Structures are given as structure tokens and as C-alpha cells.
Amino acid sequence: MTLLVLATAGCSDSDTRAYTFPDKVCGVAVDADLLSPFLPDGQKLTQRAYNSGQESPRCRLPVDGKLVVYLSGDVVPAETDPIKVQDRALVRLGNPASVDVGDSARVADNGATAVGTCSYEGRQRKFVTLVQLQEKVPGKTSQRRDALHSFLGAYFPGAMAKQGCR
């Protein structure tokens, strides 16, 4: 397990954020402006990355100890349709709609997923990533969905490459 504390007093995006934004999210370089919309006010932002298996990285982003963003990635068999498999979960995240990220992607009110075909350890596979928001930040659903789409578009290719999926 990796625990990376990213707390720094003074540098903040607003008057009530006492933490700095990481230049990497779960080991993937992402512009802080794309992560910022999902993070509430607070004193300390941490990242906790772990594996749920060799092909299944997971990462939690809590602010002041409360989970706000959960990220997962999975390498799955090429014949699997992760969007179909995750259909119920996406519906629970609220009104999933197709977006143009990877081979197939959906953005919902409180989360998003993307799938891409790749070569992994010499075999044809698919990589799927899921972003789940635990807080309704930003407050307006349309803004949250737009922010999820932008974040997913930037995060997904890096997460796929980090996992060794080419």
C-alpha cells in the first residue's frame, strides 16, 4: 500500500482549501484544473493506491479523511463488454450517457467509465477505468458531468499506459 500525503498549508485554490493539488493522480499525470472540481474544501488531501489484483489498480482520494474520489482500473478479456457488465452500477451513478473517450465511455451524474482495446502482456485485452464521486461536487449536475468528461478524457489514456496496456 502506498500512502501519499499531499497536505501543505497556505497554497490553495480557494480560501478554505489548505491543501495543494497533486500533479499526479494515482500515479497518472493530470492537470490540477481537471481534478479540482471534485475536491471539497478542507485541510488535507491524501492518495491511497493499492491493487485489487495484478491487473486491477485502485486509488482513493480522501479530503480530511473522508473519501471524495474513487478510481479503479481493470485489464479484462477482449471479449468482455465492461459497459454492459457495469450497466447497473452506471445507472446507480445517475443517467449515464455516451461520451467520446477511448473505444467506449459513459458519464453519469456521479461517475464515469471508459474502455479501450489494448495489447497487454502480448495478448489482445481491454482496459476499463471507473471514476466514482462520493460527494456532489460541483453542486450543479451539468457542471459535474462536464468536469467528469474532461477528467476522464485526460486520465484514461495515462491510466491505461501506466497499467502497461498499449
Side-chain angles (χ1 to χ4, degrees):
M1 270 191 232
T2 303
L3 181 65
L4 175 61
V5 179
L6 300 164
T8 304
C11 300
S12 65
D13 205 37
S14 72
D15 291 338
T16 55
R17 284 185 181 164
Y19 54 83
T20 59
F21 293 93
D23 56 354
K24 288 188 176 186
V25 177
C26 308
V28 177
V30 175
D31 187 316
D33 289 341
L34 298 176
L35 178 62
S36 177
F38 312 123
L39 301 177
D41 295 338
Q43 299 298 307
K44 185 166 94 172
L45 169 66
T46 56
Q47 291 191 53
R48 183 173 160 248
Y50 59 98
N51 287 323
S52 182
Q54 177 185 353
E55 300 170 344
S56 301
R58 305 286 186 254
C59 187
R60 296 174 181 271
L61 300 173
V63 171
D64 296 341
K66 185 175 180 184
L67 180 64
V68 293
V69 179
Y70 171 79
L71 298 157
S72 68
D74 292 288
V75 178
V76 299
E79 61 275 3
T80 301
D81 182 350
I83 300 292
K84 197 176 272 189
V85 169
Q86 293 185 357
D87 183 59
R88 285 187 182 165
L90 290 167
V91 169
R92 279 192 303 273
L93 291 173
N95 306 305
S98 295
V99 293
D100 187 25
V101 176
D103 294 343
S104 181
R106 302 288 185 277
V107 168
D109 296 346
N110 300 301
T113 192
V115 178
T117 304
C118 65
S119 175
Y120 179 78
E121 296 182 347
R123 295 183 298 170
Q124 190 73 8
R125 303 295 290 270
K126 288 182 182 172
F127 179 77
V128 58
T129 195
L130 175 68
V131 180
Q132 288 182 300
L133 303 179
Q134 305 301 309
E135 300 282 322
K136 293 187 186 287
V137 176
K140 282 185 89 175
T141 303
S142 62
Q143 291 175 341
R144 193 166 53 249
R145 291 175 70 95
D146 288 346
L148 276 163
H149 186 195
S150 295
F151 178 81
L152 187 66
Y155 178 79
F156 178 70
M160 192 160 111
K162 183 178 182 292
Q163 187 60 27
C165 227
R166 312 273 181 243

